[in-house]
Amino acid sequence: MAKWGEGDPRWIVEDRTDGTNVNNWHWTEKNASGWSKDKLKSLLMDLIIETNEGKCRINEVVSIDGEAVANNRKAKLIFFYEWHIKLNWEGMLTDSDEKINGTIEIPNLSEENSAEEIDISVSTKDNSDPAYTLKQIVHLKGSFLIRNQLAKYITGLKEEFSKGMILPSKDKTTNSNERKEEKAQGKENVAKKILNQAVESKPTTGVKISTKKLTTKVDFQCPPPLLYRSLTEEEMVNAFTQKAVSEFRCEKGGRFSFYGNTISGEFTELVLNEKIKMKWRLKDWPAAHYSEVTLTLDDRDGSTQLTLTQSGIPATDFDRTKDGWKNFYWDRIRQTFGYGAKLF
C-alpha cells in the first residue's frame, strides 16, 4: 500500500497516531494483576491499628487471589478487578504483654462495590476477654483504615492503567466553529446541571410533628462485654432477631435494618463495651425522620445495667416504640442468651 502522494489514491494509507487501533475502535486490554498484588501488599502490610486500649498490626498478607484488567473499547476505559484477600494480624492490650493473633478476610474487593461497601471479616481463635477487645479494635477502627487503603488501590489502578490506553485520533483537532459549539453546549449543560441541583436540593416543607423522649433502664445478668457483643455482632443480632437482619454494618456510619426494614438506622458512635449511639427509626414514621438513641452499659458487679435514652419519638408512636424495645430487643436477648433480669 502507498502512503500519501504515492501511487493509486484508492490504496493510500494515512500516517496516524492511532494507526494500530483506528479511532480506538477495537478492544484493547492490559493485565493489571501483577501490579495490583504488589500494590495491595504494600498498602496493607504492616498497617497499624491503634486505640487507647491496644495496638494491632497486620503482620502477614496470607493470600491475594483474583485478577485485574484494564480495557479500552471505543475510547472508553473499563476496569475489571476481583480480589479475595486474607491477612493475619497480631496485637496487645496497652496494659498487657500477652500477644493475640487473628485473621482478616476481604472477600469482595471488586468493581461492583465502592470502598465503603467492601466486606471485612475479623476473627481470632482465642476466646479470652483480651482477644475479644483486640478483635473489636480491628473490627471497628481497622475496617475503616483498611477500606481507606483499598480506596487508594482503586484510585491508583485507574490512574496507572489509564496511561497510553486511549490513542490520539486523526480528528483530535476540530475547526473553530465546532469548538465554539461544543463550548457553548458545555456551558448550557453546566447551567442545567446547576439548576437541577438547586431544584433537587431545595428543602421540602414537611408537617411539624410533636415528639417525646424515652428513658428507661434494663438489667441483664451478664458483664458489659457480653451484652455489647449481643448488640453489635451480626451473628448474635441474627440470633435474637431470629435471622431478621437484612443489613448490619457495626461501625461509625454503618447502616442496619431489621424485621423487613421495620427498624432501620445508622451507628453514629461506638465506645467498646460502654456506649452505642444510633440514628433510629420505624418504617412508618414520617419520611427521613430519625430519633436519636443512646445505649449506655454500666457494670454492676458482673451484671449490666443498660440505660436507653431516645429522643425524637413521634408522640403518637411513643407507647408502641417503648413496647417494641421490650418485646423485640430486651426480652429476646434475655431469652436467646440467658441474660434474664427484671425490667425497671
Side-chain angles (χ1 to χ4, degrees), residues 321-332 334 343:
T321 302
K322 181 179 179 181
D323 292 341
W325 282 104
K326 179 181 182 300
N327 296 330
F328 296 101
Y329 278 83
W330 317 141
D331 285 354
R332 291 198 176 191
R334 290 198 296 265
L343 180 64

Side-chain angles (χ1 to χ4, degrees), residues 194-209:
I194 293 173
L195 178 61
N196 290 337
Q197 289 175 340
V199 172
E200 291 171 0
S201 62
K202 183 178 179 180
T204 57
T205 303
V207 178
K208 186 175 181 180
I209 62 173

Side-chain angles (χ1 to χ4, degrees), residues 262-280:
T262 299
I263 297 171
S264 63
E266 177 183 314
F267 291 102
T268 57
E269 183 182 355
L270 294 160
V271 179
L272 185 64
N273 302 331
E274 294 180 10
K275 183 167 62 175
I276 302 167
K277 295 185 72 172
M278 302 173 278
K279 291 170 58 179
W280 191 100

Side-chain angles (χ1 to χ4, degrees), residues 56-94:
C56 302
R57 178 179 70 93
I58 294 177
N59 62 336
E60 183 183 7
V61 177
V62 179
S63 62
I64 303 176
D65 297 321
E67 62 178 345
V69 294
N71 299 287
N72 166 30
R73 178 69 168 99
K74 299 182 181 179
K76 182 180 179 181
L77 288 176
I78 306 170
F79 293 89
F80 296 103
Y81 53 93
E82 185 172 5
W83 297 105
H84 186 154
I85 303 169
K86 293 182 180 180
L87 311 166
N88 285 339
W89 60 268
E90 63 179 10
M92 290 189 297
L93 294 178
T94 303

Side-chain angles (χ1 to χ4, degrees), residues 271-324:
V271 179
L272 185 64
N273 302 331
E274 294 180 10
K275 183 167 62 175
I276 302 167
K277 295 185 72 172
M278 302 173 278
K279 291 170 58 179
W280 191 100
R281 62 175 273 109
L282 292 176
K283 187 176 183 178
D284 54 2
W285 284 3
H289 177 78
Y290 285 84
S291 64
E292 299 291 333
V293 171
T294 300
L295 304 178
T296 304
L297 281 57
D298 294 315
D299 195 340
R300 293 287 189 268
D301 295 326
S303 65
T304 302
Q305 184 175 82
L306 181 148
T307 302
L308 162 69
T309 304
Q310 183 175 14
S311 59
I313 304 171
T316 55
D317 235 355
F318 181 82
D319 290 336
R320 182 166 75 109
T321 302
K322 181 179 179 181
D323 292 341

Side-chain angles (χ1 to χ4, degrees), residues 132 136 139 226-250 255-259 263 267 270 276 278 280 295 325 328-330 332-333 336-337 339:
Y132 174 73
Q136 287 297 99
H139 175 65
L226 280 180
L227 185 58
Y228 185 88
R229 290 178 61 187
S230 302
L231 294 164
T232 58
E233 288 195 1
E234 184 173 1
E235 296 84 356
M236 298 186 77
V237 175
N238 252 319
F240 80 75
T241 61
Q242 300 175 2
K243 298 185 177 180
V245 176
S246 55
E247 181 181 11
F248 194 84
R249 190 152 58 91
C250 188
R255 301 281 305 174
F256 60 85
S257 176
F258 310 148
Y259 305 114
I263 297 171
F267 291 102
L270 294 160
I276 302 167
M278 302 173 278
W280 191 100
L295 304 178
W325 282 104
F328 296 101
Y329 278 83
W330 317 141
R332 291 198 176 191
I333 287 173
T336 302
F337 306 117
Y339 306 155

